[in-house]
Amino acid sequence: MSASAMNLTKRLLSGAAVATVALVLVACSDDKKEAASSAPAATTETAAKAETKPATDATTTASTTAAPAATEAKPAAATTEVAQSTAAPVKVELPSSEGSVDAAKLMEPGALPEMAIGDANAPVTIVEYMSMTCPHCAAFHNNTFEAIKTKYVDSGKVRFVLREFPFDPRAAAAFMLARCAPEGQYFPMISMLFKQQQQWAAAQNGRDALLQMSKLAGFTQESFEACLTNQKLLDDVNAVMQRGAKDFGVQSTPTFFVNGEHYSGDMSVDVMSALIDSKL
């Protein structure tokens, strides 16, 4: 390995990168999630200017009217029926759009091939800009993404596109490894890294932690090193991020564009489902 290649790997995975991991606590949408509570505090020039509150996922539930007390004991089934009949339906508040972008321009080819799942002709297209070390991105992918995939992507209603927006060297390294994974393994690799985020994002030795994760995906030490010393791939990952910021106003992660409408912050299954339904 050349001296320049070794230097690139060190910049991506050195122990010094640990301090930058927590900058996503500013870049991500709020501080309510605890998914990366082990990450040390830090700041970032890019994210500090654009801290964004998450999309509202509050639900409003009307109080349930209790059935009047009876002098005789009633069957349990009857009591359940009364309780169900008096309960008001749960209402989900839709998140507020932060504006819109030209959907055709949003879908133009970028520096890297598009990573997308779902029917290309689906009535709803969701583009997510994310950072691999962002705890709110991990929360979305661990708690919401699979349900949305099953309900809307697999049924042909939604096309879902993932785009890289790394806020720190380890996030960039994780994206590079996902891009280097065997064909068809980008989404599974992203899922694995989000599920194990605390194990590698704040590890003292980021290189070893990511190497172990990568071996589970079929990497060898040689292919791992080759991927992380690919300067063009790193430049292209950064180009995707820069285009998102410059052309589409992405300033925090996760950021979603739903048929061109801009939304920021983690969303629950109910909130994202309601948002998608409103576009169908």
Side-chain angles (χ1 to χ4, degrees), residues 52-276:
T52 308
K53 294 301 179 182
T56 303
D57 62 357
T59 58
T60 304
T61 308
S63 59
T64 302
T65 304
T71 56
E72 295 181 25
K74 299 294 182 181
T79 303
T80 302
E81 181 178 347
V82 171
Q84 291 176 344
S85 65
T86 58
V90 174
K91 296 180 180 178
V92 177
E93 185 178 348
L94 292 177
S96 298
S97 170
E98 298 177 28
S100 62
V101 300
D102 184 331
K105 183 177 180 181
L106 179 68
M107 302 313 299
E108 289 177 356
L112 288 169
E114 204 81 284
M115 289 299 176
I117 53 174
D119 189 343
N121 297 315
V124 176
T125 297
I126 300 175
V127 177
E128 179 192 0
Y129 282 89
M130 62 184 185
S131 178
M132 290 306 300
T133 48
C134 170
H136 306 298
C137 300
F140 174 79
H141 279 268
N142 293 338
N143 303 324
T144 300
F145 180 76
E146 285 301 323
I148 296 300
K149 177 181 179 297
T150 299
K151 186 176 181 181
Y152 294 102
V153 177
D154 295 346
S155 64
K157 296 178 181 179
V158 167
R159 179 172 175 80
F160 207 109
V161 180
L162 297 185
R163 289 184 184 168
E164 294 88 347
F165 204 88
F167 275 109
D168 58 83
R170 287 194 188 180
F175 278 131
M176 291 170 71
L177 291 167
R179 286 282 180 174
C180 291
E183 184 177 356
Q185 294 303 303
Y186 180 88
F187 277 81
M189 184 81 172
I190 291 293
S191 178
M192 179 187 71
L193 289 171
F194 272 138
K195 284 181 171 61
Q196 302 296 324
Q197 188 187 73
Q198 291 185 352
Q199 306 304 313
W200 61 269
Q204 183 173 1
N205 191 323
R207 179 188 179 284
D208 286 351
L210 273 178
L211 175 59
Q212 294 307 312
M213 298 289 174
S214 299
K215 285 182 176 180
L216 295 176
F219 282 79
T220 63
Q221 183 154 351
E222 290 74 18
S223 61
F224 174 84
E225 297 288 354
C227 180
L228 293 186
T229 55
N230 186 335
Q231 184 65 52
K232 183 181 185 306
L233 177 57
L234 176 59
D235 292 343
D236 287 345
V237 167
N238 286 328
V240 172
M241 176 182 67
Q242 291 159 7
R243 179 181 177 226
K246 179 180 178 182
D247 292 352
F248 309 121
V250 179
Q251 296 177 315
S252 63
T253 58
T255 285
F256 302 94
F257 291 95
V258 183
N259 283 358
E261 291 288 327
H262 182 170
Y263 302 89
S264 295
D266 182 18
M267 295 189 202
S268 68
V269 174
D270 287 344
V271 170
M272 178 153 275
S273 294
L275 179 58
I276 293 170

